[in-house]
Amino acid sequence: MTERSKTINVRTLSDDELFYGHKACPGCGGSLAVRIALKVLGKKSVAVIPAGCMSAVGFNFPQLSFGCNSIISTFAGTASMMTGIVAGYKAQGIDDVTVVGFAGDGGTADIGIQALSGAIHRNDNMLYICYDNEAYMNTGIQKSSLTPFGAATTTSPAVDGAIGSLSDKKNLFEIVAAHGISYAATATVGDLPDFMRKLQKASSYRGTRFIHILSPCPLGWGLKTEDMVEVAREAVSTGLWIQAEFYDGEFHYGKHPGTFTDVNHYVRRQKRFVHLSDEVIKKIEKARDEKWLHINRYTKQLERS
Amino acid sequence: MRTFISGNEALAHGIRLARPHVISAYPITPQTTVVEHLSSMCSAGKLTAEFVHVESEHSALSCAIGASATGARTFTATSSQGLLYMAECLHYAAGGRFPVVMMNANRSTALPWNIYGDQRDSMGLLDQGWIQLYVENAQEALDMSLVAYRVAEDSRVLTPFMINMDGFVLTHTYEVVDIPDQELADRFLPSYVTDNRFDFDSPKSMAFSVGPEQNFRFKFREHQAMNRAKKVIAEAEKSFAEVFGRQYTGLVENYRCDDAEYVIVTIGSVSGLVRSVVDELRRDGVAAGLLKIRYMRPFPDAEIAEILRGVKAVGVLEKDISFGYEGTVFTNVNSALQVAGLSVRTSNFIGGLGGADISREQIRDIFQSLESDGRRLNFLGINREEYDD
């Protein structure tokens, strides 16, 4: 049997580094997601990375940081290039290659969503990972459709009393699931064992698989480097980031945190939110509660049926 | 087998004979019947390929590039707006040295909307690093499909290849075409073998970033490779003639130019009409000639200059315009003459934009106007006085 048939956890995780020697910022959530994913997926992978942070930090000839086969795609073309790689191997009778994509929130939910939708629709055999740092970080912190409500970015600045981003995060996970995808999950870099489990679960399915991993960016969020992992965990404990899976046609939500931790604490430690008034924070809490209400209703319905 | 088929179907047969691994398909008039025919061939088991229904032209070429990076032979086809939509990927395929072969049905570009043939779509993208061939008939479309792969995939070239066919006039016109046997095609076209692919024994990072100093070197090598294609095209055509018995004329075609005083330089399907007018004028005692440009890139500058040496006047007839200047073919031809130190009187005739008809009479008028010192830039069928400011 292959390596993959053994369960990989923090104790059995490979020491081989397949994303190494890059120049990502200290405390970069995105590069941690890529590094861990490739350790789990192994060397028989082809990594597709669009123009963006990960290609900017890991792909500068002759300093190339991927230990597995890898390629930069066009910004809009992560999934379409993956489709081509999948088709190319299939046509040549090769079926043991993991084709994995790592695209950011802008590369996925904005410019790349057409190609992603097409790939899921065709059920092309690939694993697409969206590392979500909630803005266009490589170009210097501009708003994307996954920037949360209230976050200041350079194109949604909190100046002269403005709130920052005025739109909510696009519901990428449900959009992806609505295609009837084989497997989809959310994760965070604050819970790597959970991410590893989901990577392996994704690998147990064929067809298109998708993981949306929250990956805080200390520079873009205004965090202390050493707080990056803790903030990712707090996104879950505040109930703002929802851990979930979708497979066999059904949603499976992570445990309700019970009592949510304080949104105020989560928000105040990030410079992108410091301008928010108590009133705006209440609005964020209200939106969160509505989302959970919807989830609880769905889960109960599922239990009844 | 000789059969009566459209230009698009002929091209599809050529692609079938080339045995591509991956075909990425997206419809656009007047290209659509190419991917329809290829789809039918795949469904009927006459072609074994991954036929991918992509979601856009951008994805069509991005998918072809990804497949090429696995060492697969790839094909896609487009036209007009679709070509423009995938423009980013044109650079990508060329810079990554992925020898994708693509058919482009030459069509006008919006606005105003129009589905008919002119060549502004591909002429506007000459600088994207693709070999650009313009064919004149359905047989040539089929034959050049095989030549395209042989040239593009040659290790000295590794450059993507665009086969341009005039929309409707070539794509949808039925002609008698000889469809060769697979065995002959296989004898002419070897399998694609390349190092420019992923490797699981020695993993590769492909399509990387390169800083200013080294970047320039990559671009220079891209330029060199494109120029090397000239020699490889000649070799491929020689081999093609040996295998199939059909001889093509290289980067250009010299039709009765050797003793000509007046020559029309043109490109694509209108060449047939010009050739016919040349024959008429020759019967009338006029020393007329046709210089057909087959390849716009690599550009046959030396070949053009050699043929036009000693000619009294040259008219460049083309279906495109670079607004605010002149036709792009004209600019290129003048440059070739200047480099060769020739001072030939040249003038430019823009015709056929948006599919406007170019008549026999207009071709005769062009030849006539070459005999006197006419306007440098002319628009066929347009009376400028009606439009004066």
Side-chain angles (χ1 to χ4, degrees), chain B residues 78-81 83-84 87 90-91 102 104-109 117-135 162-166 251 265-271 291-300 304 316-323 325-333 348-353:
Chain B
T78 190
S79 177
S80 179
Q81 309 298 122
L83 183 69
L84 302 182
L90 293 176
H91 283 277
M102 176 166 73
N104 178 53
N106 283 119
R107 170 184 143 179
S108 172
T109 54
D118 66 37
Q119 293 162 344
R120 290 192 49 243
D121 54 357
S122 55
M123 286 295 170
L125 299 172
L126 271 185
D127 299 341
Q128 308 237 348
W130 283 58
I131 295 170
Q132 277 202 13
L133 165 71
Y134 292 76
V135 300
M162 189 188 300
I163 303 169
N164 290 284
M165 291 173 73
D166 283 320
L251 302 173
V265 177
T266 195
I267 197 157
S269 61
V270 76
S271 305
L291 168 53
K292 180 178 80 168
I293 297 176
R294 296 182 69 229
Y295 285 85
M296 271 306 285
R297 289 294 180 270
F299 191 65
I304 289 171
V316 177
L317 168 63
E318 58 188 301
K319 299 177 179 177
D320 69 278
I321 177 148
S322 178
F323 298 112
Y325 194 32
E326 59 190 15
T328 296
V329 182
F330 187 57
T331 307
N332 279 260
V333 168
N348 195 191
F349 299 85
I350 308 297
L353 297 188

Side-chain angles (χ1 to χ4, degrees), chain A residues 54-100:
Chain A
M54 290 308 116
S55 55
V57 304
F59 241 114
N60 297 284
F61 179 84
Q63 190 186 346
L64 302 165
S65 307
F66 282 84
C68 59
N69 286 298
S70 54
I71 187 166
I72 306 182
S73 73
T74 57
F75 202 7
T78 311
S80 53
M81 183 173 269
M82 292 169 79
T83 291
I85 294 167
V86 169
Y89 281 125
K90 192 172 173 203
Q92 295 173 84
I94 298 163
D95 66 354
D96 60 346
V97 175
T98 299
V99 180
V100 57

Side-chain angles (χ1 to χ4, degrees), chain A residues 48-297:
Chain A
V48 181
I49 303 100
C53 281
M54 290 308 116
S55 55
V57 304
F59 241 114
N60 297 284
F61 179 84
Q63 190 186 346
L64 302 165
S65 307
F66 282 84
C68 59
N69 286 298
S70 54
I71 187 166
I72 306 182
S73 73
T74 57
F75 202 7
T78 311
S80 53
M81 183 173 269
M82 292 169 79
T83 291
I85 294 167
V86 169
Y89 281 125
K90 192 172 173 203
Q92 295 173 84
I94 298 163
D95 66 354
D96 60 346
V97 175
T98 299
V99 180
V100 57
F102 297 101
D105 43 291
T108 302
D110 292 342
I111 196 170
I113 200 163
Q114 180 189 65
L116 174 61
S117 176
I120 304 171
H121 171 69
R122 288 183 300 269
N123 202 23
D124 294 335
N125 190 30
M126 61 170 72
L127 171 56
Y128 189 111
I129 297 175
C130 171
Y131 66 94
D132 182 1
N133 50 29
E134 302 197 321
Y136 290 90
M137 296 311 185
N138 187 44
T139 43
I141 322 168
Q142 291 80 34
K143 183 194 171 317
S144 80
S145 63
L146 292 181
T147 299
F149 178 81
T153 70
T154 57
T155 51
S156 60
V159 291
D160 297 333
I163 287 175
S165 172
L166 291 174
S167 49
D168 292 324
K169 273 175 90 81
K170 193 185 270 189
N171 195 334
L172 182 62
F173 174 65
E174 286 186 20
I175 290 168
V176 164
H179 288 73
I181 193 169
S182 299
Y183 178 83
T186 64
T188 82
V189 292
D191 190 350
L192 294 179
D194 174 71
F195 181 43
M196 290 179 211
R197 183 186 68 75
K198 286 168 175 166
L199 284 163
Q200 290 169 89
K201 181 140 189 168
S203 299
S204 73
Y205 284 85
R206 277 190 78 82
T208 314
R209 292 138 294 147
F210 176 86
I211 298 177
H212 184 188
I213 179 163
L214 183 68
S215 309
C217 167
L219 186 72
W221 292 20
L223 301 176
K224 286 189 196 137
T225 298
E226 60 268 31
D227 287 349
M228 189 279 285
V229 167
E230 188 46 43
V231 165
R233 288 176 183 159
E234 208 175 343
V236 177
S237 65
T238 52
L240 292 172
W241 179 267
I242 295 158
Q243 296 281 65
E245 290 176 283
F246 176 88
Y247 50 87
D248 303 336
E250 279 165 11
F251 290 94
H252 305 266
Y253 290 97
K255 251 178 43 193
H256 189 290
T259 318
F260 293 128
T261 61
D262 185 11
V263 170
N264 211 48
H265 182 265
Y266 173 75
V267 159
R268 296 291 174 215
R269 68 198 299 191
Q270 303 179 41
K271 284 204 187 102
R272 62 176 178 161
F273 288 129
V274 286
H275 59 282
L276 294 185
S277 63
D278 291 345
E279 194 189 344
V280 173
I281 291 172
K282 284 216 167 60
K283 221 172 150 181
I284 293 171
E285 286 172 337
K286 190 161 172 275
R288 170 201 64 189
D289 293 343
E290 277 167 15
K291 179 69 195 163
W292 276 101
L293 208 63
H294 171 78
I295 290 170
N296 289 338
R297 236 181 274 138

